[in-house]
Amino acid sequence: MSTVEDKYKKTEMVRKLLLKRRNVEYVLQYSNVTPFTWYKGRYRCFYCSEPIKDPDVLREHTAKVHQFANLELVVYDRTKNNRNRDAAVKIDVTDICCKLCNKKISSLEQLINHLIIAHDAEYDVSVPNCLLPFKLDKDQPTCPVCNIKFVFFEYLLRHANKHHLAHDYICDVCGTSFQGENHLKMHNRYYHREGGYTCDQCGINLSTLSKKMLHEKNVHMINLSTCPHCPETFKSPYFKKLHLANVHGVEELKIKCPYCPKVFPQDSIMSRHMRRVHLREKNVECQICGDRFFGPYDVKLHMLKHNGDKKFICSVCGKKFSKKSYLNSHMVIHTGQKKYVCTVCGKEFAHRPNLRIHFRTRHPQYELEQGVNMADEVDESEFQIIFGSELDGVDRIE
């Protein structure tokens, strides 16, 4: 049964949503900013959802094709579901000006102030997270608030969401903050439902909805993606795209790395490859020791070093490891398998990175001739195994 407080909260939420929509409509109607969405690694037209890679083309398309669009209807449609009600509308603010008086304006904040003061716009500045500004550039998208340039839009978006939006809704259970009440509610339903979730197939209880869905996919093969051209099924969209690109030759999924021959099924994965392999870009810092990493997942793995949680135990010698991959690498010591052989002196190695270092240090004159190059793509965890950045107990073989 709903209380008076619940009814008030619901009424207040609806009121703020209506004000937010009106704020967005004012800015889109009376300025030349370009609204857009970002989905599956591509810019998309705010009005018709057409994917457009080039920001210049996106601006031109929006100005010409949608100059007479029904703003009220489109803004309503883009903010009607729970996921988007709290999200700020993304806008490109490159070379913005006021449509009413053609005055050039340098920032979104100045534009809003100009519309209110010069043109009596009923923009409500008390409603947060209405619009999120970007300066879109094909090569270096830029944050217009702090003028930081980024190699890829994904990183700019992450930066803007974290630093330039209000996160006033806090989860009482885990302390995670959110932009709006809907995001908080979805988070609670997904991660903190009392009693957890029960698998419909085997009855096992799982603590979160995500774990239930993963369990059903991996164990019971439920809700797997299916290839439209053959009976093959996949546990994730990534493997489906990889299959479509490599087996069925779907050209739009063949995104080539500009620096090497590798091909990827989507822009975000290619970007991750570039960041790790070619740019060696480490933007995320460990708050404890200051070491820098490629992304949040790498930091999470690194934190095992500080937390001391080593739950993977060697069944032969009892040594403990924080990651299963470290244990698997260590087990080679006991099995005696050395599958990487130096082509110059015949020395054998259990791990390919060890062979590379051996080749570079012992046979540098043959390095280019043999085609062994330390600049080849190597997973960061392989180097951790060699140099022991974490490790008690990961044996280095030479």
Side-chain angles (χ1 to χ4, degrees):
M1 185 175 178
S2 60
T3 63
V4 174
E5 186 179 356
D6 291 334
K7 288 180 179 178
Y8 171 78
K9 280 185 177 180
K10 189 173 182 180
T11 304
E12 185 64 12
M13 190 187 301
V14 171
R15 186 187 73 86
K16 285 186 175 180
L17 179 58
L18 292 174
L19 289 173
K20 173 184 176 176
R21 285 173 178 161
R22 190 179 68 180
N23 285 351
V24 172
E25 288 169 28
Y26 273 132
V27 171
L28 298 187
Q29 186 171 359
Y30 298 124
S31 75
N32 68 335
V33 300
T34 303
F36 66 96
T37 60
W38 175 260
Y39 183 62
K40 292 188 175 180
R42 291 172 182 260
Y43 301 119
R44 293 176 185 266
C45 173
F46 184 77
Y47 300 95
C48 64
S49 299
E50 181 181 339
I52 301 173
K53 279 189 174 182
D54 192 325
D56 290 331
V57 177
L58 174 65
R59 285 187 282 267
E60 185 179 351
H61 165 87
T62 304
K64 287 185 177 179
V65 178
H66 302 292
Q67 59 179 318
F68 302 115
N70 185 331
L71 277 174
E72 185 178 354
L73 185 62
V74 176
V75 171
Y76 169 81
D77 191 57
R78 292 289 176 267
T79 57
K80 67 182 179 183
N81 65 47
N82 284 341
R83 184 175 295 277
N84 292 332
R85 281 179 187 172
D86 298 324
V89 173
K90 301 173 191 65
I91 57 171
D92 172 44
V93 295
T94 304
D95 300 324
I96 54 174
C97 70
C98 172
K99 281 184 180 178
L100 296 171
C101 62
N102 292 323
K103 181 179 179 180
K104 290 190 176 181
I105 296 166
S106 59
S107 70
L108 174 62
E109 185 180 7
Q110 286 187 17
L111 172 66
I112 291 169
N113 290 336
H114 171 78
L115 290 175
I116 293 171
I117 295 168
H119 303 295
D120 295 323
E122 295 180 20
Y123 189 103
D124 194 324
V125 293
S126 69
V127 181
N129 301 341
C130 295
L131 297 149
L132 189 58
F134 302 92
K135 281 190 176 181
L136 300 186
D137 182 277
K138 190 163 52 176
D139 300 316
Q140 281 194 315
T142 305
C143 173
V145 180
C146 47
N147 208 34
I148 298 176
K149 297 182 183 297
F150 291 80
V151 178
F152 303 112
F153 180 76
E154 294 100 313
Y155 311 139
L156 169 56
L157 180 59
R158 194 179 302 160
H159 160 85
N161 278 320
K162 181 179 179 180
H163 297 288
H164 302 310
L165 287 176
H167 294 76
D168 298 330
Y169 295 84
I170 313 296
C171 174
D172 296 331
V173 180
C174 64
T176 307
S177 60
F178 298 90
Q179 297 167 25
E181 191 167 351
N182 282 300
H183 285 167
L184 176 58
K185 282 181 177 178
M186 286 191 288
H187 166 80
N188 281 323
R189 281 200 300 269
Y190 201 70
Y191 291 105
H192 303 308
R193 191 174 93 163
E194 288 186 20
Y197 295 81
T198 303
C199 173
D200 299 328
Q201 306 299 314
C202 64
I204 189 173
N205 195 58
L206 298 128
S207 58
T208 69
L209 181 59
S210 59
K211 287 181 180 178
K212 175 181 181 281
M213 293 167 67
L214 197 63
H215 164 80
E216 289 177 343
K217 270 190 177 183
N218 292 336
V219 178
H220 304 296
M221 304 299 175
I222 294 173
N223 295 326
L224 296 181
S225 299
T226 306
C227 175
H229 305 290
C230 70
E232 190 78 26
T233 57
F234 311 92
K235 290 183 180 179
S236 76
Y238 168 74
F239 289 113
K240 180 179 178 179
K241 287 181 178 180
L242 206 60
H243 169 83
L244 287 170
N246 295 329
V247 177
H248 300 293
V250 180
E251 285 299 323
E252 58 264 31
L253 296 178
K254 289 187 174 183
I255 299 164
K256 187 182 178 302
C257 172
Y259 300 108
C260 72
K262 290 204 169 189
V263 174
F264 300 89
Q266 63 191 61
D267 282 326
S268 59
I269 298 169
M270 189 273 287
S271 299
R272 184 173 181 270
H273 158 79
M274 282 184 61
R275 181 166 56 97
R276 286 175 171 270
V277 179
H278 302 299
L279 302 177
R280 307 300 295 171
E281 186 178 275
K282 297 184 178 183
N283 287 331
V284 184
E285 184 176 309
C286 171
Q287 298 300 311
I288 297 175
C289 67
D291 284 355
R292 301 185 72 82
F293 299 89
F294 295 115
Y297 179 72
D298 300 297
V299 176
K300 185 177 179 181
L301 293 179
H302 163 77
M303 286 303 293
L304 295 171
K305 171 183 176 181
H306 299 300
N307 298 336
D309 185 12
K310 296 185 177 182
K311 59 182 179 181
F312 299 100
I313 303 171
C314 175
S315 58
V316 179
C317 66
K319 285 185 177 180
K320 296 180 180 181
F321 303 89
S322 59
K323 291 172 66 177
K324 190 175 181 180
S325 60
Y326 293 163
L327 172 59
N328 292 339
S329 299
H330 162 81
M331 286 302 293
V332 177
I333 306 299
H334 301 301
T335 60
Q337 295 176 347
K338 294 185 177 182
K339 57 182 180 179
Y340 299 102
V341 181
C342 175
T343 55
V344 178
C345 67
K347 193 166 187 176
E348 296 180 340
F349 299 86
H351 305 291
R352 185 174 66 166
N354 289 2
L355 169 60
R356 286 179 173 169
I357 290 179
H358 163 83
F359 212 89
R360 167 169 278 185
T361 54
R362 302 294 170 86
H363 312 296
Q365 69 274 25
Y366 293 102
E367 186 177 4
L368 293 176
E369 188 179 318
Q370 294 290 331
V372 178
N373 193 324
M374 286 298 289
D376 290 346
E377 179 176 2
V378 182
D379 188 271
E380 187 178 87
S381 62
E382 292 183 294
F383 286 108
Q384 289 177 331
I385 291 167
I386 300 166
F387 298 117
S389 62
E390 181 196 353
L391 312 155
D392 269 350
V394 172
D395 303 80
R396 296 182 282 281
I397 308 167
E398 169 68 7

